[in-house]
Amino acid sequence: MKSEKNYFILYFCTLIMAIIEIRSLKEPGIEVFSTLTEAQLRMELEPEKGLFIAESPKVIRVALDAGWEPTALLCERKHIEGDARDIIARAGDIPIFTGSRELLAQLTGYTLTRGVLCAMRRKKMPPVADIIKGARRIVVIEAVTDTTNIGAIFRSAAALGIDAVVLTRDSCDPLNRRAVRVSMGSVFLVPWTWLDEPVKSLQKLGFKTAAMALSDNSISLDDPRLKAEQRLAIIMGTEGDGLPYQTIEEADYTVKIPMAHGVDSLNVAAAAAVAFWELRV
């Protein structure tokens, strides 16, 4: 009983020592939450040394459960013994920055929607062949730069049985703060990586490719040939320009979603959700 008591005393002393009250916007160590841009956090040349920001207790818990490493936490005082209590207990020996809601809003440039931010370390991204091994349905995101759309596509992918996500380098970073938040942590649930080869390279890895685009030879999304494919890569492009001509030409199928009332297309995130549901296996 005595050793157990000493353990809890040591635990709470460590917890107290880790908490840093922010008195100034120039407090050392808070740059990750304030002055560093998304590009600076990402560190293009050495991504595994980069960071990203997860926002809200729910999203942070999903990231921790998936094995992502926290490096610092920022939260309102009330959340230390509230919504962030279990996160702090799991985070280990990292700085816990806290302050008033008003000061934190000044620091970050926006009001924290759930009062908790966590800086987490990026991982080295795996090769495409590794994450699609054994997959039957994957999505290819080509040149989609809107953070909200990226987050929404990941959320639908996780919910509707997509096995993996691959993105071309001209797409938005899935670990962008807003993309992570919109995805509700789904970016930590579905395997994903960057595609550095042409989209048609997936054909050599055993996938038929389906470009979601309007063209004269587009087939309907409910065409039975699509559902019958054992391994299918669903290619989604940006809303304005759509998929590049070359991607469409090199795809095994060009696919459209049947529309009513003269509507020609859906938002890319909505279109992705419809496609994922229809082509699920």
Side-chain angles (χ1 to χ4, degrees):
M1 179 67 74
K2 186 176 180 180
S3 61
E4 186 179 21
K5 182 178 179 181
N6 289 340
Y7 168 80
F8 282 110
I9 291 173
L10 177 62
Y11 167 76
F12 282 112
C13 285
T14 303
L15 189 60
I16 292 171
M17 289 295 290
I19 296 173
I20 302 167
E21 183 78 22
I22 300 173
R23 304 292 183 185
S24 162
L25 297 181
K26 296 182 179 180
E27 184 80 40
I30 62 173
E31 301 85 1
V32 65
F33 299 108
S34 56
T35 59
L36 295 185
T37 65
E38 288 284 350
Q40 289 170 324
L41 287 171
R42 184 170 173 174
M43 289 189 66
E44 296 285 355
L45 296 179
E46 298 179 276
E48 64 271 23
K49 294 183 180 180
L51 301 171
F52 67 92
I53 304 297
E55 181 180 352
S56 89
K58 180 177 181 179
V59 170
I60 295 167
R61 291 186 192 105
V62 173
L64 292 174
D65 289 344
W68 295 80
E69 178 190 352
T71 62
L73 199 72
L74 176 72
C75 64
E76 294 178 42
R77 294 189 193 96
K78 66 180 181 180
H79 292 306
I80 292 176
E81 286 300 318
D83 288 347
R85 184 175 183 178
D86 64 306
I87 294 171
I88 293 172
R90 295 176 61 184
D93 186 19
I94 65 171
I96 313 296
F97 296 102
T98 189
S100 68
R101 185 177 180 84
E102 295 72 27
L103 182 60
L104 297 190
Q106 280 185 270
L107 172 69
T108 60
Y110 54 90
T111 301
L112 276 62
T113 55
R114 293 294 183 270
V116 186
L117 296 179
C118 186
M120 309 194 91
R121 196 171 305 283
R122 289 175 178 266
K123 299 178 181 180
K124 184 176 181 178
M125 300 310 298
V128 171
D130 286 359
I131 73 159
I132 66 174
K133 186 177 181 180
R136 295 193 61 193
R137 294 292 185 265
I138 67 173
V139 60
V140 180
I141 300 176
E142 182 165 9
V144 177
T145 58
D146 183 89
T147 55
T148 300
N149 284 335
I150 291 290
I153 292 171
F154 265 88
R155 190 171 183 181
S156 293
L160 300 174
I162 294 298
D163 299 311
V165 180
V166 294
L167 305 97
T168 59
R169 290 284 182 176
D170 50 357
S171 293
C172 169
D173 175 22
L175 295 181
N176 172 284
R177 182 188 66 84
R178 183 169 176 77
V180 171
R181 180 164 64 83
V182 171
S183 81
M184 293 300 292
S186 295
V187 295
F188 310 122
L189 300 177
V190 184
W192 65 272
T193 196
W194 299 105
L195 180 66
D196 291 318
E197 301 294 328
V199 177
K200 68 177 182 180
S201 64
L202 295 170
Q203 294 165 336
K204 295 179 180 178
L205 296 174
F207 281 84
K208 294 291 187 178
T209 54
M212 299 297 297
L214 296 173
S215 71
D216 293 337
N217 63 342
S218 292
I219 64 173
S220 177
L221 180 63
D222 59 1
D223 189 300
R225 288 174 291 178
L226 296 170
K227 196 73 176 282
E229 291 291 355
Q230 290 300 303
R231 307 185 82 194
L232 189 66
I234 306 163
I235 313 168
M236 307 300 305
T238 186
E239 287 176 52
D241 298 328
L243 289 170
Y245 174 80
Q246 185 174 357
T247 298
I248 296 171
E249 283 296 299
E250 293 173 345
D252 295 295
Y253 301 100
T254 305
V255 184
K256 64 182 178 181
I257 299 173
M259 299 284 169
H261 299 293
V263 177
D264 61 355
S265 64
L266 294 174
N267 163 278
V268 64
V274 173
F276 299 164
W277 170 257
E278 179 64 31
L279 300 176
R280 69 197 186 284
V281 291

